[in-house]
């Protein structure tokens, strides 16, 4: 009887790709054939150490594989030499030297460190599979031969085609005058940095080095209106080498993006000055991350940027005036890429840049980055993704359909327009609780561990002072005032309570709440509450509009992107009616998701294609044109909402009885005066 002998089965993790390969196949070749990205700079000469893998031993019943160290060839002389000279961690093997000898489960580690680098912090726990647009390729070029009069550059191209399969290579112009010198420096051994992004694009040699160049870096950058955040990443290992942030210097031209557009409209040199300012800031930040990571900025070959539409235009040197008025026309909505040098970014002369696509005139490449990171389009569940800034960007959807909009929340959540408001910084109140019986508050301050009613608080707070209220506390204080009965569902401070607590006091024609007596005196005024109502109503109405577009009454899961989202307590956000009712455990802050999206696009060019495809599919909703928006906004002015119920929240928090429930429909009709006031508020929110 003939028993069929099958080739060994090799499974690569974490990709899960598998295939059968003849005994003796180098593991690197097996990976290549399956499309598993394993780095290699030296082209299998066992000198770069980038191709490391680990064999997982054991019985993997699910995959029907018994994997053992005996199923991989022993170390040969080249691998042993590498281990002797450079060192190889326990269990690690060079996949270019090790061959398949039996069934194997092979782990492709994401942390192959060749030169010890300090890892400052992980920007994300996520493992991002690599497939960068830059590849470093070491080759040994034939020496010139009088009988074969082929130029040095042509012989370089020929060997890159032979050893690495690069066909139809282009060579960046700035390299050509240097080629002869570089080839001769290390005896015809060179490393070419080759850029190839799209499948159909021509690969280009963007840099050339004598000998083995075993480092290549990239930067992923989120240019926010207020802050610019950057990660410096090794393109050869995926490691984040350093991360840093800096204020956006454009603030001096205008606090928010619309005031920056106005500045451009009113000053002939305004756009140029703002473009120069953001380029300078990005270059300074590159200097900072390079200094922190011990990296030469000339070793950065790729850069990915995300930003809101106005920052996007200013960064590219495009006049953003059209974005300041309807129909909010973008000069370019698709992804943009080119030479970093051409837009004033000071990294390697041959480095590239890639800017994610914008979703719409008010929903930018930053929202695209967050969408790539959180992937509503990958979900079965209906996911709401919000990035709260002066303009909230809202994305809602699942596998079948995704819709997106922006809503003008204004700067209230950032502490502007609030009498005691300030940005999150040491000394700012960040948490507030109010006793519903005595109306006495307690609070916590950034930089101080204790609550204000704990012994030693005043002493501990001496260093920072208590200077104001930041965004997270603004939400909490208004929500707590509502929960304790200090304000009605319409957001009106109950002046009658001034008789029972000195915390409520008259302030002109309205009343205020005294949060802290002292220097400075920190109060919550009626105007503050109005500003928060307007901001939260804008966000909620935009969200609700998207829910209507999707035909859903509830969302399954909520992701808060951005710094603001990291500090707010989901419970209070819901009590306020900032977000729709949802299981509290399903509300998560995801930090700088836009930056994570940029990182994904930097490390894996497939993610660029993915977000380009998804952005073209997203249905864009312009809130200003939707007739329902005004009514949704008016409903959302109430706490948490005039018409929408919050049953899941009510299971966790005792909400005050709603007026609409306690007084019957007739009584809940708004008086003409109140109605006109709310409509005025709605108009303000949309302007
Ligand atoms: Fe360079 Fe294996 S590919 S050491």
């Amino acid at each position: 009887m003939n028993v069929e002998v099958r080739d060994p089965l090799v499974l690569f993790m974490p990709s899960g790709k598998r295939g059968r390969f003849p005994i003796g196949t180098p593991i690197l070749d097996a990976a290549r054939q399956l499309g598993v990205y394993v780095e290699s700079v030296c082209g299998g000469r066992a000198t770069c150490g980038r191709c490391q893998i680990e064999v997982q031993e054991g019985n993997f019943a699910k995959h029907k594989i018994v994997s053992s160290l005996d199923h991989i060839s022993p170390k040969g002389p080249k691998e042993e030499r590498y281990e002797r000279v450079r060192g190889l961690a326990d269990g690690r093997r060079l996949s270019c030297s090790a061959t398949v000898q039996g069934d194997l489960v092979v782990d492709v580690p994401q942390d192959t460190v060749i030169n010890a680098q300090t890892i400052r912090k992980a920007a994300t726990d996520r493992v991002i599979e690599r497939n960068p647009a830059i590849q470093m390729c070491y080759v040994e070029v034939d020496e010139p031969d009088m009988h074969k009069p082929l130029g040095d550059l042509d012989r370089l191209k020929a060997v890159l085609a032979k050893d690495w399969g690069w066909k139809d290579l282009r060579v960046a112009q700035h390299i050509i005058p240097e080629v002869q010198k570089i080839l001769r420096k290390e005896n015809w051994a060179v490393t070419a940095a080759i850029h190839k992004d799209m499948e159909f694009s021509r690969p280009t040699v963007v840099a050339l080095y004598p000998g083995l160049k075993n480092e290549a870096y990239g930067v992923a950058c989120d240019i926010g209106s207020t802050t610019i955040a950057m990660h410096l990443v090794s393109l050869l290992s995926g490691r984040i080498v350093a991360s840093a942030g800096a204020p956006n210097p454009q603030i001096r031209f205008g606090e928010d993006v619309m005031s920056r557009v106005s500045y451009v409209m009113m000053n002939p040199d305004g756009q140029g000055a703002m473009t120069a300012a953001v380029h300078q800031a990005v270059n300074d930040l590159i200097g900072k991350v390079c200094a922190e990571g011990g990296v030469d900025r000339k070793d950065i070959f790729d850069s990915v940027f995300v930003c809101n539409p106005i920052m996007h235009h200013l960064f590219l040197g495009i006049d953003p005036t059209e974005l300041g008025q309807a129909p909010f026309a973008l000069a370019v909505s698709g992804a943009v890429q080119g030479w970093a040098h051409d837009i004033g970014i000071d990294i390697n002369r041959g480095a590239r840049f890639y800017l994610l696509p914008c979703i719409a005139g008010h929903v930018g490449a930053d929202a695209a980055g967050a969408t790539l990171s959180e992937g509503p389009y990958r979900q079965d569940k209906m996911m709401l993704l919000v990035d709260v800034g002066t303009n909230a960007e809202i994305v809602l959807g699942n596998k079948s359909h995704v819709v997106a909009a922006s809503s003008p929340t204004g700067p209230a959540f950032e502490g502007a327009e609030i009498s005691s408001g300030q940005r999150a910084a040491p000394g700012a109140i960040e948490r507030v609780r109010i006793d519903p019986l005595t109306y006495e508050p307690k609070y916590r301050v950034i930089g101080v561990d204790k609550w204000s009613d704990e012994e030693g608080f005043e002493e501990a707070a001496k260093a920072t002072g208590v200077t104001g209220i930041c965004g997270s506390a603004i939400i909490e204080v208004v929500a707590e005032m509502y929960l304790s009965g200090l304000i009605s569902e319409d957001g009106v401070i109950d002046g009658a309570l001034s008789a029972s607590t000195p915390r409520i006091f008259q302030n002109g024609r309205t009343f205020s709440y005294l949060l802290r007596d002292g220097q400075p005196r920190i109060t919550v005024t009626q105007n503050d509450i109005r500003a928060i109502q307007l901001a939260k109503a804008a966000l909620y109405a935009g969200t609700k509009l998207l829910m209507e577009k999707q035909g859903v009454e509830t969302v399954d899961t909520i992701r808060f992107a951005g710094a603001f989202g990291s500090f707010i307590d989901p419970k209070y956000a819901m009590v306020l009616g900032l977000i729709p009712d949802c299981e509290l455990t399903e509300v998560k802050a995801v930090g700088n998701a836009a930056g994570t999206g940029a990182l994904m696009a930097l490390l894996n060019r497939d993610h660029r294609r993915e977000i380009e495809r998804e952005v073209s599919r997203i249905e864009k909703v312009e809130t200003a044109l939707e007739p329902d928006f005004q009514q949704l906004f008016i409903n959302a002015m109430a706490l948490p909402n005039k018409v929408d119920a919050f049953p899941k929240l009510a299971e966790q928090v005792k909400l005050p009885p709603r007026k609409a429930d306690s007084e019957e429909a007739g009584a809940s009709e708004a008086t003409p005066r109140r109605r006109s006031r709310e409509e005025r508020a709605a108009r303000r929110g949309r302007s």
Side-chain angles (χ1 to χ4, degrees):
M1 191 175 72
N2 270 347
V3 178
E4 192 195 350
V5 182
R6 304 180 75 187
D7 286 335
L9 185 58
V10 183
L11 168 71
F12 286 93
M13 299 301 282
S15 69
K17 290 182 179 157
R18 53 196 280 161
R20 292 193 177 273
F21 298 92
I23 288 179
T25 308
I27 291 178
L28 181 61
D29 290 359
R32 291 267 159 82
Q33 287 177 39
L34 291 173
V36 174
Y37 194 89
V38 176
E39 191 58 76
S40 159
V41 175
C42 69
R45 290 173 174 81
T47 53
C48 72
R50 292 288 178 186
C51 64
Q52 293 179 32
I53 48 102
E54 263 179 43
V55 169
Q56 290 188 25
E57 280 196 287
N59 185 351
F60 297 81
K62 193 174 126 203
H63 302 291
K64 299 197 179 74
I65 296 178
V66 178
S67 174
S68 151
L69 287 177
D70 297 336
H71 295 174
I72 188 168
S73 61
K75 286 174 191 151
K78 278 170 149 185
E79 197 174 354
E80 275 180 345
R81 192 196 51 182
Y82 179 86
E83 187 173 26
R84 219 170 35 248
V85 178
R86 306 292 299 273
L88 206 49
D90 254 7
R92 291 288 172 94
R93 296 294 307 274
L94 298 182
S95 66
C96 62
S97 296
T99 60
V100 175
Q101 299 295 324
D103 290 353
L104 283 170
V105 174
V106 173
D107 193 26
V108 182
Q110 303 295 313
D111 63 343
T112 307
V113 182
I114 304 303
N115 296 334
Q117 301 150 346
T118 321
I119 308 306
R120 297 292 175 199
K121 68 170 185 187
T124 167
D125 297 336
R126 175 178 328 201
V127 174
I128 303 171
E129 226 180 285
R130 276 178 320 117
N131 183 13
I134 294 286
Q135 204 179 329
M136 303 299 277
C137 300
Y138 171 88
V139 283
E140 290 166 3
V141 181
D142 289 344
E143 290 189 30
D145 180 344
M146 285 210 290
H147 302 292
K148 290 187 230 159
L150 212 54
D152 286 354
L153 184 64
D154 306 273
R155 293 196 319 286
L156 169 66
K157 283 184 180 180
V159 73
L160 282 166
K162 179 165 80 67
D163 288 6
W164 292 88
W166 291 114
K167 302 265 162 34
D168 196 26
L169 262 178
R170 208 167 32 179
V171 178
Q173 178 59 38
H174 68 275
I175 299 173
I176 296 172
E178 305 295 322
V179 167
Q180 295 202 303
K181 216 168 33 186
I182 298 169
L183 284 177
R184 282 157 182 81
K185 203 159 183 185
E186 289 279 342
N187 204 22
W188 305 96
V190 289
T191 305
I194 295 175
H195 174 266
K196 182 172 168 67
D197 187 354
M198 286 172 255
E199 274 329 302
F200 50 84
S201 67
R202 259 180 99 180
T204 306
V205 178
V206 295
L208 191 66
Y209 293 90
L212 178 70
K213 175 78 176 169
N214 202 4
E215 292 297 345
Y217 296 92
V219 286
C221 184
D222 173 19
I223 307 176
S225 326
T226 314
T227 310
I228 305 175
M230 185 178 285
H231 301 301
L232 173 66
V233 193
S234 163
L235 296 176
L236 300 183
S237 73
R239 284 211 163 205
I240 295 173
V241 178
S243 300
N248 187 333
Q250 291 179 343
I251 285 179
R252 68 174 183 269
F253 301 100
E255 184 80 17
D256 58 68
V257 284
M258 287 324 266
S259 52
R260 287 178 215 172
V261 174
S262 308
Y263 184 87
V264 171
M265 290 161 89
M266 283 150 54
N267 296 278
D269 301 331
Q271 179 254 304
M274 274 196 267
T275 296
V278 72
H279 288 171
Q280 183 64 49
V282 167
N283 283 329
D284 289 350
L285 206 48
I286 290 170
K288 196 167 161 188
V289 287
C290 283
E292 205 181 306
V295 167
D296 183 338
R297 67 194 304 146
K298 299 293 176 219
D299 286 346
I300 298 175
F301 298 101
D302 204 1
S303 52
V304 172
F305 297 89
V306 291
C307 33
N308 66 48
I310 291 169
M311 287 298 107
H312 170 281
H313 277 38
L314 288 170
F315 181 62
L316 289 175
I318 303 170
D319 186 327
T321 305
E322 289 298 329
L323 293 170
Q325 66 221 357
F328 311 109
L330 287 155
V332 50
S333 54
V336 179
Q337 55 175 310
W339 300 102
H341 176 81
D342 289 350
I343 56 164
I345 303 304
D346 179 17
I347 44 183
N348 188 285
R349 174 62 183 84
R352 305 286 296 176
F353 78 90
Y354 175 85
L355 238 138
L356 268 69
C358 287
I359 298 176
H362 273 320
V363 191
D366 49 355
T371 303
L372 174 62
S373 166
E374 299 313 306
Y377 55 86
R378 296 190 289 263
Q379 313 294 321
D380 293 320
K381 291 176 171 183
M382 183 59 67
M383 176 189 273
L384 171 67
L385 170 63
V386 283
D387 192 342
V388 181
T390 48
N391 209 31
E393 292 171 319
I394 315 164
V395 180
L396 176 72
N398 58 15
K399 268 182 186 158
S400 5
H401 188 47
V402 178
V403 290
S406 77
S407 211
T409 39
F413 291 140
E414 294 178 352
E417 288 182 356
I418 303 293
S419 58
S420 299
Q422 69 160 94
R423 287 196 191 285
I429 294 177
E430 58 169 345
R431 294 270 170 263
V432 179
R433 299 289 180 271
I434 296 175
D435 186 315
L437 298 176
T438 63
Y439 306 121
E440 283 303 301
K442 63 175 183 177
Y443 48 83
R444 271 181 62 167
V445 166
I446 298 177
V448 180
D449 282 340
K450 295 175 188 295
W451 282 86
S452 60
D453 62 343
E454 287 179 271
E455 211 179 299
F457 170 82
E458 291 297 337
E459 191 57 33
K462 265 188 187 151
T464 59
V466 182
T467 48
I469 318 174
C470 72
S472 57
I474 290 165
I475 286 176
E476 289 193 9
V477 74
V478 178
E480 281 277 314
M481 285 173 79
Y482 171 61
L483 291 176
S484 58
L486 285 166
I487 56 176
S488 66
E489 69 178 57
D490 295 325
V492 177
I493 298 177
D494 186 353
L497 289 173
S498 60
S500 43
T501 170
R503 292 276 167 188
I504 296 288
F505 63 96
Q506 189 147 16
N507 186 5
R509 292 168 61 190
T510 56
F511 288 84
S512 294
Y513 177 72
L514 178 64
L515 185 55
R516 176 182 164 90
D517 206 0
Q519 241 350 298
R521 199 162 182 257
I522 298 174
T523 61
V524 180
T525 68
Q526 187 62 65
N527 278 345
D528 295 341
I529 292 171
R530 273 289 172 254
I532 290 300
Q533 282 178 284
L534 288 167
K536 74 102 180 175
L539 177 56
Y540 190 90
T543 303
K544 193 71 188 168
L545 202 58
L546 295 188
M547 290 167 72
E548 285 183 358
K549 291 275 169 201
Q550 290 278 21
V552 295
E553 293 280 318
T554 54
V555 300
D556 300 319
T557 184
I558 299 177
R559 297 286 178 274
F560 265 119
F564 176 77
S566 303
F567 298 108
I568 56 175
D569 183 328
K571 182 178 86 179
Y572 288 105
M574 221 178 274
V575 169
L576 200 67
L578 187 76
I579 46 176
D581 192 45
C582 181
E583 292 291 349
L584 285 173
T585 49
E586 284 291 340
V587 186
K588 294 196 172 69
V590 289
N592 185 0
T596 304
L599 196 58
M600 291 168 72
L602 176 68
L603 284 174
N604 192 327
R605 57 203 169 103
D606 294 340
H607 287 312
R608 302 181 187 185
R609 304 296 88 78
E610 178 184 334
I611 194 60
E612 288 161 11
R613 189 178 59 239
E614 293 305 328
V615 163
S616 70
R617 285 186 191 156
I618 292 175
E619 182 188 349
K620 291 90 183 169
V621 177
E622 183 49 69
T623 52
L625 301 178
E626 294 290 332
D628 282 357
F629 185 83
Q630 181 136 332
Q631 189 55 50
L632 292 171
F633 185 94
I634 291 170
N635 294 343
M637 282 293 285
L639 302 174
N641 192 285
K642 195 189 276 181
V643 291
D644 291 346
F646 283 73
K648 293 194 179 102
L649 175 65
E651 284 169 17
Q652 312 274 328
V653 181
K654 190 168 170 1
L655 295 169
R658 293 199 315 168
K659 215 193 301 183
D661 297 337
S662 50
E663 301 168 12
E664 272 309 315
S668 69
E669 283 286 308
T671 62
R673 206 169 135 211
R674 200 177 88 206
R675 193 172 197 87
S676 68
R677 194 175 64 212
E678 287 168 340
E679 282 173 357
R680 273 202 308 279
R683 280 197 294 276
R684 272 180 59 203
R686 297 176 62 179
S687 62

